Amino acid sequence: MSVNLTLLLVMGALFACGIYLILERSLTRVLLGLMLLANATNLLILATGGYAGLAPLYSGDAAPGDYSDPLPQALILTSIVISFAVTAFMLGIIYRTWVLARQDEIQDDVEDLRVAETPSFDAEDDAEIPAETSEFPVLVTGGREMPVDGAVSEETPGSLNVAPAEGSRAPKAARPTEGTEQ
């Protein structure tokens, strides 16, 4: 299989221009970049299909190697339909932003800038030993009050506040006494 150099150069130029246009802030340029990328992808699929051959219909006197592969053509058709749908969607977005804001350029979002300026280290999530940072010193569970330190100990295995199952060999200190709520 021989590759056409001109087709590869055109494909590379389309990919380069498409990527450059996608990185712009104007929605119209983003749409043009997406269209260029779709066409470059179609050329890539076409180049991988090899030389043109006979139609992929069965003929008794033709050698199997003379037929062209129909799969790249089907993939290009699918790519055309998908790029048409993306183009229609982007045109709808462009029209809506023009109706609402009378501009085509994407502006910086204040909330995005605030999030980008926050440090990536979170003292509560990234600490070596998790510390309780609750504002409430007492936790109410099952109708009884429990200090937060006791609630933290509940998260460890072997809790003393849970009744063992019948027939288990738990120590007597772990078994609830009469008159306590469960």
mmCIF file of all heavy atoms in Angstrom, residues 38-75:
data_model
loop_
_atom_site.group_PDB
_atom_site.id
_atom_site.type_symbol
_atom_site.label_atom_id
_atom_site.label_comp_id
_atom_site.label_asym_id
_atom_site.label_seq_id
_atom_site.Cartn_x
_atom_site.Cartn_y
_atom_site.Cartn_z
ATOM 1 N N ALA A 38 -13.057 17.451 11.361
ATOM 2 C CA ALA A 38 -13.890 16.383 10.812
ATOM 3 C C ALA A 38 -13.445 16.037 9.395
ATOM 4 O O ALA A 38 -13.348 14.853 9.034
ATOM 5 C CB ALA A 38 -15.356 16.796 10.828
ATOM 6 N N ASN A 39 -13.146 17.052 8.593
ATOM 7 C CA ASN A 39 -12.692 16.786 7.226
ATOM 8 C C ASN A 39 -11.308 16.139 7.211
ATOM 9 O O ASN A 39 -11.034 15.267 6.379
ATOM 10 C CB ASN A 39 -12.691 18.067 6.399
ATOM 11 C CG ASN A 39 -14.104 18.505 6.072
ATOM 12 O OD1 ASN A 39 -14.982 17.682 5.852
ATOM 13 N ND2 ASN A 39 -14.328 19.811 6.048
ATOM 14 N N ALA A 40 -10.432 16.542 8.116
ATOM 15 C CA ALA A 40 -9.111 15.917 8.201
ATOM 16 C C ALA A 40 -9.236 14.451 8.621
ATOM 17 O O ALA A 40 -8.512 13.586 8.115
ATOM 18 C CB ALA A 40 -8.230 16.678 9.187
ATOM 19 N N THR A 41 -10.167 14.166 9.521
ATOM 20 C CA THR A 41 -10.396 12.788 9.935
ATOM 21 C C THR A 41 -10.935 11.954 8.778
ATOM 22 O O THR A 41 -10.548 10.795 8.598
ATOM 23 C CB THR A 41 -11.370 12.744 11.131
ATOM 24 O OG1 THR A 41 -10.837 13.558 12.177
ATOM 25 C CG2 THR A 41 -11.574 11.335 11.629
ATOM 26 N N ASN A 42 -11.799 12.551 7.967
ATOM 27 C CA ASN A 42 -12.307 11.842 6.784
ATOM 28 C C ASN A 42 -11.169 11.520 5.819
ATOM 29 O O ASN A 42 -11.124 10.425 5.248
ATOM 30 C CB ASN A 42 -13.384 12.664 6.087
ATOM 31 C CG ASN A 42 -14.654 12.743 6.909
ATOM 32 O OD1 ASN A 42 -14.865 11.958 7.821
ATOM 33 N ND2 ASN A 42 -15.496 13.704 6.584
ATOM 34 N N LEU A 43 -10.253 12.452 5.638
ATOM 35 C CA LEU A 43 -9.106 12.187 4.775
ATOM 36 C C LEU A 43 -8.201 11.106 5.363
ATOM 37 O O LEU A 43 -7.639 10.290 4.624
ATOM 38 C CB LEU A 43 -8.307 13.462 4.531
ATOM 39 C CG LEU A 43 -8.944 14.500 3.602
ATOM 40 C CD1 LEU A 43 -8.070 15.731 3.516
ATOM 41 C CD2 LEU A 43 -9.152 13.895 2.221
ATOM 42 N N LEU A 44 -8.057 11.098 6.675
ATOM 43 C CA LEU A 44 -7.256 10.061 7.323
ATOM 44 C C LEU A 44 -7.871 8.682 7.093
ATOM 45 O O LEU A 44 -7.159 7.726 6.760
ATOM 46 C CB LEU A 44 -7.147 10.348 8.828
ATOM 47 C CG LEU A 44 -6.449 9.286 9.680
ATOM 48 C CD1 LEU A 44 -4.976 9.212 9.324
ATOM 49 C CD2 LEU A 44 -6.633 9.579 11.139
ATOM 50 N N ILE A 45 -9.162 8.594 7.254
ATOM 51 C CA ILE A 45 -9.828 7.304 7.034
ATOM 52 C C ILE A 45 -9.714 6.900 5.563
ATOM 53 O O ILE A 45 -9.499 5.729 5.243
ATOM 54 C CB ILE A 45 -11.296 7.372 7.492
ATOM 55 C CG1 ILE A 45 -11.362 7.571 9.006
ATOM 56 C CG2 ILE A 45 -12.051 6.109 7.111
ATOM 57 C CD1 ILE A 45 -12.745 7.871 9.532
ATOM 58 N N LEU A 46 -9.841 7.872 4.678
ATOM 59 C CA LEU A 46 -9.715 7.581 3.244
ATOM 60 C C LEU A 46 -8.311 7.087 2.904
ATOM 61 O O LEU A 46 -8.143 6.153 2.112
ATOM 62 C CB LEU A 46 -10.044 8.835 2.429
ATOM 63 C CG LEU A 46 -10.020 8.701 0.916
ATOM 64 C CD1 LEU A 46 -11.146 7.787 0.463
ATOM 65 C CD2 LEU A 46 -10.141 10.064 0.269
ATOM 66 N N ALA A 47 -7.298 7.686 3.527
ATOM 67 C CA ALA A 47 -5.918 7.280 3.257
ATOM 68 C C ALA A 47 -5.641 5.876 3.783
ATOM 69 O O ALA A 47 -4.853 5.133 3.198
ATOM 70 C CB ALA A 47 -4.947 8.277 3.876
ATOM 71 N N THR A 48 -6.281 5.517 4.887
ATOM 72 C CA THR A 48 -6.061 4.176 5.426
ATOM 73 C C THR A 48 -6.794 3.109 4.626
ATOM 74 O O THR A 48 -6.515 1.923 4.781
ATOM 75 C CB THR A 48 -6.498 4.082 6.898
ATOM 76 O OG1 THR A 48 -7.895 4.404 6.977
ATOM 77 C CG2 THR A 48 -5.697 5.020 7.773
ATOM 78 N N GLY A 49 -7.730 3.516 3.773
ATOM 79 C CA GLY A 49 -8.485 2.561 2.976
ATOM 80 C C GLY A 49 -7.699 1.952 1.838
ATOM 81 O O GLY A 49 -8.087 0.920 1.285
ATOM 82 N N GLY A 50 -6.608 2.550 1.463
ATOM 83 C CA GLY A 50 -5.782 2.003 0.387
ATOM 84 C C GLY A 50 -6.238 2.485 -0.978
ATOM 85 O O GLY A 50 -7.024 3.421 -1.114
ATOM 86 N N TYR A 51 -5.717 1.832 -1.997
ATOM 87 C CA TYR A 51 -6.043 2.200 -3.378
ATOM 88 C C TYR A 51 -7.506 1.898 -3.692
ATOM 89 O O TYR A 51 -8.122 1.013 -3.094
ATOM 90 C CB TYR A 51 -5.169 1.416 -4.354
ATOM 91 C CG TYR A 51 -3.755 1.890 -4.428
ATOM 92 C CD1 TYR A 51 -2.707 1.028 -4.128
ATOM 93 C CD2 TYR A 51 -3.465 3.180 -4.803
ATOM 94 C CE1 TYR A 51 -1.403 1.450 -4.192
ATOM 95 C CE2 TYR A 51 -2.158 3.621 -4.869
ATOM 96 C CZ TYR A 51 -1.139 2.754 -4.568
ATOM 97 O OH TYR A 51 0.162 3.174 -4.629
ATOM 98 N N ALA A 52 -8.012 2.610 -4.668
ATOM 99 C CA ALA A 52 -9.362 2.326 -5.150
ATOM 100 C C ALA A 52 -9.330 1.009 -5.908
ATOM 101 O O ALA A 52 -8.380 0.699 -6.623
ATOM 102 C CB ALA A 52 -9.848 3.445 -6.046
ATOM 103 N N GLY A 53 -10.350 0.227 -5.757
ATOM 104 C CA GLY A 53 -10.416 -1.072 -6.434
ATOM 105 C C GLY A 53 -11.787 -1.255 -7.042
ATOM 106 O O GLY A 53 -12.533 -0.307 -7.266
ATOM 107 N N LEU A 54 -12.101 -2.470 -7.296
ATOM 108 C CA LEU A 54 -13.406 -2.791 -7.842
ATOM 109 C C LEU A 54 -14.475 -2.579 -6.780
ATOM 110 O O LEU A 54 -14.203 -2.577 -5.578
ATOM 111 C CB LEU A 54 -13.426 -4.241 -8.313
ATOM 112 C CG LEU A 54 -12.466 -4.608 -9.454
ATOM 113 C CD1 LEU A 54 -12.518 -6.103 -9.712
ATOM 114 C CD2 LEU A 54 -12.809 -3.841 -10.705
ATOM 115 N N ALA A 55 -15.694 -2.421 -7.229
ATOM 116 C CA ALA A 55 -16.813 -2.292 -6.297
ATOM 117 C C ALA A 55 -16.914 -3.569 -5.465
ATOM 118 O O ALA A 55 -16.651 -4.660 -5.971
ATOM 119 C CB ALA A 55 -18.099 -2.054 -7.066
ATOM 120 N N PRO A 56 -17.280 -3.431 -4.201
ATOM 121 C CA PRO A 56 -17.305 -4.615 -3.331
ATOM 122 C C PRO A 56 -18.511 -5.511 -3.602
ATOM 123 O O PRO A 56 -19.217 -5.912 -2.691
ATOM 124 C CB PRO A 56 -17.329 -4.020 -1.935
ATOM 125 C CG PRO A 56 -17.941 -2.693 -2.102
ATOM 126 C CD PRO A 56 -17.544 -2.212 -3.452
ATOM 127 N N LEU A 57 -18.783 -5.796 -4.853
ATOM 128 C CA LEU A 57 -19.827 -6.744 -5.238
ATOM 129 C C LEU A 57 -19.143 -8.004 -5.731
ATOM 130 O O LEU A 57 -18.081 -7.953 -6.352
ATOM 131 C CB LEU A 57 -20.707 -6.146 -6.328
ATOM 132 C CG LEU A 57 -21.430 -4.847 -5.951
ATOM 133 C CD1 LEU A 57 -22.120 -4.259 -7.147
ATOM 134 C CD2 LEU A 57 -22.400 -5.065 -4.825
ATOM 135 N N TYR A 58 -19.771 -9.125 -5.526
ATOM 136 C CA TYR A 58 -19.144 -10.399 -5.879
ATOM 137 C C TYR A 58 -19.170 -10.596 -7.396
ATOM 138 O O TYR A 58 -20.181 -10.426 -8.055
ATOM 139 C CB TYR A 58 -19.858 -11.548 -5.192
ATOM 140 C CG TYR A 58 -19.289 -12.882 -5.569
ATOM 141 C CD1 TYR A 58 -18.058 -13.272 -5.068
ATOM 142 C CD2 TYR A 58 -19.948 -13.724 -6.435
ATOM 143 C CE1 TYR A 58 -17.505 -14.489 -5.412
ATOM 144 C CE2 TYR A 58 -19.410 -14.951 -6.784
ATOM 145 C CZ TYR A 58 -18.187 -15.320 -6.272
ATOM 146 O OH TYR A 58 -17.641 -16.529 -6.619
ATOM 147 N N SER A 59 -18.027 -10.921 -7.894
ATOM 148 C CA SER A 59 -17.897 -11.282 -9.307
ATOM 149 C C SER A 59 -16.996 -12.508 -9.363
ATOM 150 O O SER A 59 -15.923 -12.529 -8.746
ATOM 151 C CB SER A 59 -17.299 -10.126 -10.103
ATOM 152 O OG SER A 59 -17.065 -10.525 -11.433
ATOM 153 N N GLY A 60 -17.385 -13.482 -10.103
ATOM 154 C CA GLY A 60 -16.654 -14.743 -10.129
ATOM 155 C C GLY A 60 -15.288 -14.656 -10.784
ATOM 156 O O GLY A 60 -14.373 -15.395 -10.440
ATOM 157 N N ASP A 61 -15.082 -13.709 -11.718
ATOM 158 C CA ASP A 61 -13.803 -13.663 -12.431
ATOM 159 C C ASP A 61 -12.790 -12.700 -11.818
ATOM 160 O O ASP A 61 -11.684 -12.573 -12.324
ATOM 161 C CB ASP A 61 -14.048 -13.315 -13.908
ATOM 162 C CG ASP A 61 -14.804 -12.003 -14.069
ATOM 163 O OD1 ASP A 61 -15.349 -11.518 -13.054
ATOM 164 O OD2 ASP A 61 -14.848 -11.477 -15.200
ATOM 165 N N ALA A 62 -13.135 -11.982 -10.743
ATOM 166 C CA ALA A 62 -12.210 -11.023 -10.117
ATOM 167 C C ALA A 62 -11.505 -11.677 -8.928
ATOM 168 O O ALA A 62 -12.097 -12.454 -8.176
ATOM 169 C CB ALA A 62 -12.941 -9.783 -9.654
ATOM 170 N N ALA A 63 -10.235 -11.331 -8.770
ATOM 171 C CA ALA A 63 -9.456 -11.840 -7.634
ATOM 172 C C ALA A 63 -9.880 -11.111 -6.362
ATOM 173 O O ALA A 63 -10.250 -9.932 -6.399
ATOM 174 C CB ALA A 63 -7.974 -11.631 -7.885
ATOM 175 N N PRO A 64 -9.831 -11.753 -5.200
ATOM 176 C CA PRO A 64 -10.251 -11.098 -3.956
ATOM 177 C C PRO A 64 -9.429 -9.851 -3.622
ATOM 178 O O PRO A 64 -9.925 -8.934 -2.988
ATOM 179 C CB PRO A 64 -10.059 -12.178 -2.896
ATOM 180 C CG PRO A 64 -10.070 -13.463 -3.639
ATOM 181 C CD PRO A 64 -9.538 -13.167 -4.992
ATOM 182 N N GLY A 65 -8.181 -9.793 -4.038
ATOM 183 C CA GLY A 65 -7.333 -8.632 -3.747
ATOM 184 C C GLY A 65 -7.679 -7.414 -4.581
ATOM 185 O O GLY A 65 -7.226 -6.306 -4.283
ATOM 186 N N ASP A 66 -8.485 -7.568 -5.612
ATOM 187 C CA ASP A 66 -8.843 -6.437 -6.466
ATOM 188 C C ASP A 66 -10.009 -5.617 -5.914
ATOM 189 O O ASP A 66 -10.257 -4.506 -6.379
ATOM 190 C CB ASP A 66 -9.209 -6.936 -7.871
ATOM 191 C CG ASP A 66 -8.015 -7.533 -8.590
ATOM 192 O OD1 ASP A 66 -6.875 -7.219 -8.184
ATOM 193 O OD2 ASP A 66 -8.222 -8.314 -9.554
ATOM 194 N N TYR A 67 -10.714 -6.156 -4.960
ATOM 195 C CA TYR A 67 -11.863 -5.436 -4.406
ATOM 196 C C TYR A 67 -11.392 -4.314 -3.481
ATOM 197 O O TYR A 67 -10.358 -4.402 -2.831
ATOM 198 C CB TYR A 67 -12.757 -6.379 -3.601
ATOM 199 C CG TYR A 67 -13.508 -7.380 -4.444
ATOM 200 C CD1 TYR A 67 -13.261 -8.734 -4.307
ATOM 201 C CD2 TYR A 67 -14.458 -6.970 -5.359
ATOM 202 C CE1 TYR A 67 -13.943 -9.663 -5.057
ATOM 203 C CE2 TYR A 67 -15.150 -7.888 -6.124
ATOM 204 C CZ TYR A 67 -14.884 -9.230 -5.967
ATOM 205 O OH TYR A 67 -15.560 -10.142 -6.715
ATOM 206 N N SER A 68 -12.171 -3.258 -3.391
ATOM 207 C CA SER A 68 -11.876 -2.202 -2.420
ATOM 208 C C SER A 68 -12.611 -2.526 -1.118
ATOM 209 O O SER A 68 -13.668 -3.154 -1.122
ATOM 210 C CB SER A 68 -12.311 -0.828 -2.948
ATOM 211 O OG SER A 68 -13.710 -0.792 -3.107
ATOM 212 N N ASP A 69 -12.027 -2.083 -0.039
ATOM 213 C CA ASP A 69 -12.604 -2.353 1.272
ATOM 214 C C ASP A 69 -13.750 -1.376 1.522
ATOM 215 O O ASP A 69 -13.549 -0.160 1.503
ATOM 216 C CB ASP A 69 -11.514 -2.198 2.333
ATOM 217 C CG ASP A 69 -11.966 -2.648 3.710
ATOM 218 O OD1 ASP A 69 -13.025 -3.294 3.789
ATOM 219 O OD2 ASP A 69 -11.252 -2.364 4.680
ATOM 220 N N PRO A 70 -14.963 -1.831 1.808
ATOM 221 C CA PRO A 70 -16.086 -0.913 2.026
ATOM 222 C C PRO A 70 -16.110 -0.301 3.428
ATOM 223 O O PRO A 70 -16.832 0.661 3.660
ATOM 224 C CB PRO A 70 -17.318 -1.793 1.793
ATOM 225 C CG PRO A 70 -16.865 -3.156 2.148
ATOM 226 C CD PRO A 70 -15.414 -3.220 1.753
ATOM 227 N N LEU A 71 -15.331 -0.826 4.350
ATOM 228 C CA LEU A 71 -15.370 -0.324 5.727
ATOM 229 C C LEU A 71 -14.938 1.144 5.836
ATOM 230 O O LEU A 71 -15.626 1.925 6.509
ATOM 231 C CB LEU A 71 -14.526 -1.204 6.635
ATOM 232 C CG LEU A 71 -14.537 -0.819 8.116
ATOM 233 C CD1 LEU A 71 -15.947 -0.947 8.679
ATOM 234 C CD2 LEU A 71 -13.574 -1.678 8.893
ATOM 235 N N PRO A 72 -13.826 1.593 5.210
ATOM 236 C CA PRO A 72 -13.487 3.009 5.315
ATOM 237 C C PRO A 72 -14.579 3.928 4.748
ATOM 238 O O PRO A 72 -14.825 5.005 5.288
ATOM 239 C CB PRO A 72 -12.195 3.136 4.516
ATOM 240 C CG PRO A 72 -11.596 1.789 4.542
ATOM 241 C CD PRO A 72 -12.756 0.847 4.550
ATOM 242 N N GLN A 73 -15.240 3.486 3.697
ATOM 243 C CA GLN A 73 -16.316 4.307 3.130
ATOM 244 C C GLN A 73 -17.485 4.410 4.107
ATOM 245 O O GLN A 73 -18.070 5.487 4.273
ATOM 246 C CB GLN A 73 -16.766 3.707 1.803
ATOM 247 C CG GLN A 73 -15.672 3.707 0.762
ATOM 248 C CD GLN A 73 -16.032 2.902 -0.468
ATOM 249 O OE1 GLN A 73 -17.177 2.519 -0.648
ATOM 250 N NE2 GLN A 73 -15.044 2.651 -1.311
ATOM 251 N N ALA A 74 -17.798 3.327 4.776
ATOM 252 C CA ALA A 74 -18.876 3.358 5.774
ATOM 253 C C ALA A 74 -18.488 4.241 6.960
ATOM 254 O O ALA A 74 -19.318 4.985 7.497
ATOM 255 C CB ALA A 74 -19.197 1.942 6.238
ATOM 256 N N LEU A 75 -17.225 4.177 7.377
ATOM 257 C CA LEU A 75 -16.771 5.021 8.487
ATOM 258 C C LEU A 75 -16.801 6.499 8.110
ATOM 259 O O LEU A 75 -17.148 7.355 8.940
ATOM 260 C CB LEU A 75 -15.365 4.603 8.914
ATOM 261 C CG LEU A 75 -15.255 3.253 9.621
ATOM 262 C CD1 LEU A 75 -13.802 2.911 9.883
ATOM 263 C CD2 LEU A 75 -16.049 3.248 10.898
#
